[in-house]
Amino acid sequence: MNNYMEITKEIIEKIHKKLNEVSPVNYDCGRLCGEICCTYDDETYSNNDLIIYLLPGEEALYDSSESFELIHYDINEINYPHSWKNGVYTVRCINPPTCEREIRPIQCRTFPLIPHIDKNNHFYLIFDESEYPYKCPLINKNIELNEDFINETYKAWRFLLKNRLIYDLVDMDSRKRENKKIKYKKIK
Ligand code: SF4
Ligand code: SF4
């Protein structure tokens, strides 16, 4: 599972294309919660700004976007695996929930599913309520997600895990979850 595949802009665009064909449910789930995952605001969370951590390679899409501000953090500013020695790029959504959907980050496209690797190196998609500072009704009310969304999200993350940095990050988050004995629900 773990090798050194580079993630290029072309790879990101191919993943976007596949994920464009699916969505978590067949209605606008933002109506259930006032689009809280786009607009959540709290001084303990990102200095009042909604920022999304990008996967390596994704930053190439945001050079000239008017909807996203690209921000870079050095490795010593963030709690990330050592392999991320060049730091991490994030985007700040400039006018959420208005969104330039064609280039929204993969973390956003696959939400609310989260990649998880168990101690036997098995990969799953899970719901983890503890991951976010707000309540997503899809998780909270255990709403059934579209099967094609689950399947495409599964394929996308399984492929992305071939990148060393992404694997290390998912592994780090998974170990934290397991060590803290956080309850999560396996979806696939
Ligand atoms: S994914 Fe969850 S938090 Fe985001 S808009 Fe849908 S229901 Fe709300
Ligand atoms: S990228 Fe778009 S969908 Fe994702 S949080 Fe920002 S505004 Fe919302």
Side-chain angles (χ1 to χ4, degrees):
M1 192 186 261
N2 189 3
N3 61 33
Y4 293 86
M5 183 191 72
E6 287 290 317
I7 305 281
T8 61
K9 191 176 175 188
E10 289 68 33
I11 287 177
I12 301 278
E13 284 169 346
K14 270 190 192 161
I15 294 173
H16 281 185
K17 209 168 161 196
K18 294 304 278 177
L19 292 173
N20 280 346
E21 292 166 11
V22 295
S23 61
V25 287
N26 292 336
Y27 51 88
D28 177 8
C29 60
R31 291 201 198 130
L32 302 175
C33 64
E35 293 166 312
I36 188 72
C37 59
C38 291
T39 56
Y40 182 79
D41 216 4
D42 186 282
E43 66 277 3
T44 59
Y45 189 64
S46 317
N47 297 324
N48 287 326
D49 289 331
L50 179 69
I51 62 167
I52 301 166
Y53 288 80
L54 298 181
L55 301 176
E58 275 193 295
E59 70 276 5
L61 276 78
Y62 300 96
D63 274 351
S64 56
S65 170
E66 288 178 6
S67 310
F68 297 98
E69 181 190 359
L70 191 61
I71 305 167
H72 179 263
Y73 290 93
D74 288 332
I75 182 71
N76 55 11
E77 294 179 280
I78 49 166
N79 185 16
Y80 258 50
H82 298 303
S83 54
W84 289 66
K85 55 184 185 306
N86 295 327
V88 59
Y89 282 94
T90 68
V91 284
R92 183 176 73 86
C93 304
I94 289 176
N95 192 24
T98 304
C99 184
E100 196 177 343
R101 286 182 70 79
E102 312 79 64
I103 56 167
R104 72 193 190 284
I106 286 173
Q107 304 257 21
C108 240
R109 289 167 189 263
T110 60
F111 185 88
L113 293 169
I114 298 177
H116 181 85
I117 301 166
D118 75 8
K119 59 180 185 323
N120 298 318
N121 209 26
H122 291 140
F123 162 61
Y124 303 101
L125 290 175
I126 62 164
F127 273 171
D128 176 3
E129 271 193 277
S130 72
E131 193 83 4
Y132 306 102
Y134 51 81
K135 291 211 182 302
C136 164
L138 296 183
I139 304 176
N140 198 233
K141 298 194 171 133
N142 218 2
I143 292 172
E144 194 172 337
L145 305 185
N146 285 332
E147 207 175 322
D148 56 357
F149 170 76
I150 296 173
N151 290 339
E152 286 306 332
T153 298
Y154 186 88
K155 280 192 237 164
W157 276 112
R158 195 178 54 187
F159 178 78
L160 287 163
L161 286 172
K162 292 181 180 169
N163 175 272
R164 165 75 189 280
L165 274 60
I166 296 177
Y167 182 92
D168 288 350
L169 181 62
V170 172
D171 187 50
M172 185 179 94
D173 289 342
S174 303
R175 299 290 61 76
K176 274 191 208 159
R177 207 171 281 125
E178 304 263 346
N179 291 341
K180 290 185 186 166
K181 298 192 173 13
I182 288 171
K183 280 197 183 150
Y184 57 82
K185 182 179 176 198
K186 278 182 199 166
I187 303 297
K188 184 177 169 78

